[in-house]
Amino acid sequence: MTVIDDFAARLDEAARTRTPCAQLSAERDISLEDAYAVQRALVELRLGRGERDFGVKLGFTSRAKAVQMGVDDVIVGRLTSGMVFADGDELDLAAFVHPRAEPEVAFRLGRDIAEGEIPGTEAVEAVAPAIEVIDSRYRDFRFSLADVVADNTSAAAVVLGPWRRLDADLGNRGVLLEVDGRLAGAGSTAAILGDPLRALTAAARMAHQHGIPLPAGTVLLAGAATAAVALQAGTQVCATVSGLGRARFSVTDQGGSDD
Ligand code: 0L1
Ligand code: MG
């Protein structure tokens, strides 16, 4: 087994057993290129179990997160069908390690994006409010840049609100994150690269750089508009994006975990 496959297998095992693992970077230096190779191998394991490609996500799209991580570019991760939940669904806390929710904007591509193409907004078929559940497979949610890229940018689940046509400016929409009706975070879509539509060009650039295809129907999670909040069993989480609507889910704990 190669080091890349070994690292992917460890992260996959951590996700499937909900047991956090040590940072890979503590064991050896990993280049960003190798980290994306681990991510690819990790996603291949999911696809090999029957999941399908669903989309891509960007991370570190807010200035605050980029500064916190000391990075000056976004990172890209993959969304697979097993991560996708409908508006109003239940998410079982026992299916994750230490999940957190963050409000996002999702785009759906109406056509294939060719390799090397920088798409315009006409490539977007629809837009929706969304909640991304991130769940680092590393102990204490701590990682280096290469670690988090290898761990598929902490991608764990996505809850999509109603889709609508992209027919208005999205540059500065108010975003609320509520837990049981109480405010848990407030921000603006401007926190997503200054305008979430910039995620389109950033995702195309990153996807081409890392060999990720962008066929019609691909869903793109543009980035978070507020800090993420830890999920607690028995709560309801709701994200509202002004003018777009809301996405919601409730949290159960069928495994009785208290993490
Ligand atoms: O979606 C994100 O912005 C998360 C990127 C990975 C970093 C994290 O897990 O906080
Ligand atoms: Mg996110």
Side-chain angles (χ1 to χ4, degrees):
M1 188 185 263
T2 65
V3 174
I4 300 292
D5 288 339
D6 175 36
F7 282 175
R10 284 192 220 177
L11 288 165
D12 189 57
E13 171 83 357
R16 287 190 300 113
T17 61
R18 292 89 193 184
T19 309
C21 63
Q23 294 176 44
L24 306 177
S25 61
E27 192 170 309
R28 63 189 290 160
D29 280 342
I30 315 168
S31 67
L32 206 50
E33 200 183 323
D34 282 350
Y36 275 106
V38 175
Q39 181 189 117
R40 238 181 338 267
L42 182 59
V43 171
E44 283 303 322
L45 291 172
R46 297 184 77 115
L47 299 180
R49 291 195 290 270
E51 290 193 48
R52 285 165 283 104
D53 264 317
F54 182 77
V56 293
K57 59 158 284 190
L58 292 181
F60 302 152
T61 47
S62 78
R63 186 87 196 115
K65 262 202 183 179
V67 167
Q68 186 195 333
M69 286 302 291
V71 296
D72 54 11
D73 201 1
V74 298
I75 54 176
V76 66
R78 309 260 301 270
L79 303 171
T80 56
S81 53
M83 301 178 187
V84 183
F85 292 81
D87 197 19
D89 270 358
E90 288 183 351
L91 269 71
D92 181 9
L93 207 56
F96 304 95
V97 183
H98 34 208
R100 300 175 180 176
E102 52 188 26
E104 303 223 3
V105 171
F107 297 111
R108 194 172 67 217
L109 299 181
R111 62 169 175 80
D112 298 352
I113 306 299
E115 206 178 319
E117 179 190 347
I118 299 302
T121 53
E122 88 300 333
V124 175
E125 173 184 74
V127 58
I131 306 174
E132 184 186 13
V133 175
I134 52 173
D135 188 25
S136 175
R137 270 57 66 162
Y138 300 113
R139 215 161 281 137
D140 303 324
F141 227 109
R142 293 172 67 86
F143 40 71
S144 69
L145 176 62
D147 284 322
V148 72
V149 165
D151 186 25
N152 196 18
T153 66
S154 305
V158 54
V159 179
L160 294 163
W163 291 105
R164 53 187 294 148
R165 234 162 22 92
L166 174 64
D167 53 8
D169 181 24
L170 293 178
N172 189 14
R173 304 288 185 101
V175 178
L176 300 179
L177 181 63
E178 291 166 292
V179 178
D180 285 343
R182 282 189 290 277
L183 193 63
S188 159
T189 53
I192 308 167
L193 296 172
D195 182 331
L197 278 170
R198 294 203 179 113
L200 202 57
T201 49
R205 176 173 58 79
M206 296 299 285
H208 298 148
Q209 203 171 322
H210 300 291
I212 304 169
L214 295 176
T218 294
V219 170
L220 161 62
L221 273 188
T226 74
V229 297
L231 298 189
Q232 308 283 349
T235 59
Q236 298 228 340
V237 180
C238 177
T240 307
V241 182
S242 180
L244 285 189
R246 46 191 191 181
R248 281 177 287 194
F249 66 90
S250 48
V251 188
T252 61
D253 190 0
Q254 290 164 31
S257 153
D258 59 3
D259 187 354

